């Protein structure tokens, strides 16, 4: 289908767990028609009926053959990203893939090659790029308003795996990969900061730790962020992925960074924060207060800027829909990312997008592999 507007494009979503419905809601807010769902055969029809979606498939290859789908959203477990992405590209579909792009750089390199060779748009869902504060800071850094970047400090903290009975497929290396906390949420921080600085990570020094050496796995399926249930029976298993980590970073522009990541940080539900220190002034932001940018100066007063006001700036123009005081947060980042991707598809443009590309997804997996090597060798590792 040749589309000239976002609303003419049609989507299919693979995966109906936590993040798949987030994609669905954001697409509908944009006016994109979601025509098909894919998941396990025993549950996909019920999900399609619940969301009012015409087609339901128990095999992703069936969805890829559907002429009613122009753009495929891959929201499946990590181990399936590579075969699904390659098959979608081979079928001539545009693709938005959840992060990480794949399980290792051998797989991501294959995706990059095929994405480059095709005539479709490929995006990786690093949605944090589309917080208005992030877009504004990116513009400020590019204009030199913070000066030369000296160093960056920050963290990504969650508590959803705080208890030994908390369980999700991401805990298993075969499903989610050898890294967990760093790959699952740390990559969001690293991509966001690299995007703001316009500079990739070139070297890392990492220290990984597992708090729950053994966990209790429920005997049955469990959804992401599900609560503990006293009626559930459990089996014990050894944990082979990290619960928390500390990572030192070097960026291509010479800036230094330090990142703390945890999925056992009691009270932190989804807290991505960073502080950027430049030679002129500093800036800091937290996703739990998404509307507010703060700036620091040595000789003048510190400043607080609220989204969509003159003090905030115009760096997020085109990616804000509500006036100040009407919070734009996590769900809105998906809408704005998809607005960028679908806009590029409708315009037939593939040049310098704001969204993360297959190359960016490959870079983040390369950083993760360097983090693992650094932890094991206790040395700095070049990415």
């Amino acid at each position: 289908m040749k589309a000239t507007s976002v609303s003419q494009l049609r989507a299919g979503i693979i995966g109906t767990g936590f993040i798949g419905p987030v994609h669905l809601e954001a697409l509908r807010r944009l006016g994109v028609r979601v025509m098909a769902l894919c998941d396990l055969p025993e549950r996909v029809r019920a999900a399609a009926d619940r969301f009012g979606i015409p087609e339901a498939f128990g095999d992703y290859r069936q969805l890829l053959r559907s002429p009613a789908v122009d753009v495929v959203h891959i929201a499946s477990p990590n181990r399936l990203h590579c075969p699904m992405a390659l098959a979608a590209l081979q079928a001539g579909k545009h693709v938005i893939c959840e992060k990480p792009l794949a399980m290792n750089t051998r797989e991501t390199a294959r995706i990059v090659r095929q994405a480059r060779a095709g005539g479709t748009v490929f995006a990786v869902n690093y949605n944090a790029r589309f917080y208005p504060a992030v877009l504004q800071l990116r513009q400020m850094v590019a204009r030199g308003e913070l000066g030369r970047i000296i160093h960056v400090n920050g963290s990504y903290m969650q508590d959803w795996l705080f208890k030994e009975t908390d369980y999700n497929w991401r805990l298993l290396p075969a499903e989610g990969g050898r890294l967990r906390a760093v790959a699952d949420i740390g990559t969001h921080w690293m991509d966001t900061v690299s995007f703001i600085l316009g500079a990739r990570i070139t070297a890392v020094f990492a220290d990984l730790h597992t708090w729950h050496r053994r966990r209790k796995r429920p005997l049955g399926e469990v959804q992401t962020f599900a609560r503990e249930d006293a009626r559930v029976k459990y089996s014990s298993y050894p944990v082979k992925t990290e619960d928390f980590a500390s990572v030192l970073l070097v960026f291509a522009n010479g800036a230094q960074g330090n990142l703390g990541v945890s999925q056992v940080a009691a009270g932190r539900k989804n807290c991505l924060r960073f502080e950027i220190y430049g030679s002129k002034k500093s800036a800091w932001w937290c996703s739990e207060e998404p509307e507010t940018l703060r700036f620091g100066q040595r000789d003048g007063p510190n400043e607080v800027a609220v989204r969509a006001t003159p003090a905030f700036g115009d760096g997020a123009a085109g990616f804000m829909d509500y006036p100040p005081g009407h919070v734009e947060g996590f769900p809105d980042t998906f809408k704005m990312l998809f607005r960028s991707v679908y806009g590029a598809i409708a315009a037939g443009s593939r040049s310098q997008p704001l969204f993360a590309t297959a190359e960016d997804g490959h870079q983040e997996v390369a950083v993760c592999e360097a983090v693992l090597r650094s932890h094991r060798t206790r040395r700095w590792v070049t990415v």
Side-chain angles (χ1 to χ4, degrees):
M1 174 184 176
K2 177 66 174 176
T4 58
S5 70
V6 168
S7 62
Q8 290 179 299
L9 291 162
R10 302 160 301 175
I13 299 173
I14 304 173
T16 64
F18 163 62
I19 210 67
V22 178
H23 285 236
L24 170 62
E25 179 190 16
L27 289 168
R28 284 179 164 169
R29 290 172 68 192
L30 285 174
V32 173
R33 291 171 292 165
V34 180
M35 304 300 294
L37 279 185
C38 177
D39 208 312
L40 297 175
E42 60 268 25
R43 69 184 185 194
V44 67
R45 184 67 262 172
D49 290 342
R50 184 168 71 254
F51 294 122
I53 295 173
E55 295 187 313
F57 300 108
D59 186 324
Y60 71 90
R61 287 162 289 226
Q62 294 175 307
L63 183 146
L64 297 181
R65 288 194 291 269
S66 172
V69 172
D70 305 305
V71 188
V72 175
H73 291 242
I74 300 173
S76 59
N78 300 350
R79 67 179 178 84
L80 299 172
H81 289 182
C82 182
M84 289 179 174
L86 292 174
L89 288 167
Q90 185 65 34
K93 306 293 187 182
H94 304 283
V95 179
I96 299 176
C97 184
E98 272 298 329
K99 37 59 50 191
L101 177 56
M103 297 284 273
N104 54 61
T105 51
R106 294 188 303 278
E107 292 184 345
T108 57
R110 291 180 62 196
I111 295 171
V112 168
R113 286 194 297 271
Q114 192 154 322
R116 286 174 176 170
T120 56
V121 171
F122 193 105
V124 183
N125 192 44
Y126 283 109
N127 62 290
R129 291 185 177 205
F130 287 85
Y131 281 102
V134 170
L135 292 167
Q136 172 60 22
L137 285 173
R138 178 177 180 269
Q139 183 183 85
M140 294 181 71
V141 169
R143 290 176 174 175
E145 293 178 35
L146 302 186
R148 182 177 177 182
I149 305 304
I150 304 169
H151 62 94
V152 184
N153 164 63
S155 61
Y156 202 145
M157 300 287 168
Q158 295 179 331
D159 71 358
W160 72 291
L161 295 173
F162 181 73
K163 299 178 180 180
E164 65 176 358
T165 51
D166 292 329
Y167 177 76
N168 182 264
W169 57 261
R170 291 169 178 82
L171 286 155
L172 307 178
E175 294 289 324
R178 293 174 295 168
L179 273 182
R180 189 227 313 160
V182 172
D184 187 30
I185 57 178
T187 54
H188 271 299
W189 189 97
M190 293 186 286
D191 179 81
T192 301
V193 172
S194 294
F195 176 68
I196 292 169
L197 301 187
R200 288 183 168 178
I201 295 166
T202 59
V204 297
F205 188 97
D207 188 27
L208 311 178
H209 291 275
T210 304
W211 174 246
H212 292 296
R213 296 285 181 177
R214 297 192 69 85
R215 286 179 178 265
K216 294 179 180 179
R217 178 176 182 174
L219 299 175
E221 186 182 2
V222 63
Q223 292 294 322
T224 303
F225 300 119
R227 295 182 178 180
E228 184 179 6
D229 188 335
R231 297 169 297 178
V232 175
K233 294 182 179 180
Y234 296 89
S235 63
S236 179
Y237 68 99
V239 179
K240 298 181 179 179
T241 54
E242 83 283 3
D243 286 324
F244 63 100
S246 299
V247 186
L248 298 177
L249 310 154
V250 177
F251 294 88
N253 63 354
Q256 308 288 306
N258 60 288
L259 165 64
V261 178
S262 178
Q263 293 179 320
V264 291
R268 287 299 191 186
K269 304 307 177 187
N270 191 46
C271 180
L272 187 162
R273 54 166 291 278
F274 52 76
E275 302 169 349
I276 302 173
Y277 295 98
S279 60
K280 293 181 180 178
K281 63 180 181 180
S282 61
W284 57 96
W285 176 80
C286 175
S287 65
E288 293 185 339
E289 297 179 332
E291 297 285 274
T292 306
L293 264 176
R294 290 177 167 83
F295 302 104
Q297 302 182 83
R298 166 65 185 268
D299 298 317
N302 287 354
E303 302 169 303
V304 178
V306 177
R307 182 190 61 79
T309 64
F312 190 90
D314 61 357
F319 294 98
M320 296 185 294
D321 284 345
Y322 299 109
H326 300 75
V327 177
E328 293 191 343
F330 176 81
D332 302 278
T333 63
F334 285 79
K335 182 182 76 171
M336 296 307 181
L337 186 152
F338 299 160
R339 176 177 291 175
S340 179
V341 175
Y342 278 70
I345 294 169
S349 172
R350 302 179 71 187
S351 60
Q352 296 182 323
L354 289 173
F355 57 82
T357 63
E359 288 85 355
D360 295 319
H362 173 74
Q363 164 71 10
E364 296 302 335
V365 174
V367 171
C368 286
E369 291 182 347
V371 164
L372 271 174
R373 289 197 302 274
S374 174
H375 172 70
R376 290 169 179 169
T377 62
R378 317 307 295 169
R379 297 175 182 272
W380 278 95
V381 172
T382 300
V383 179

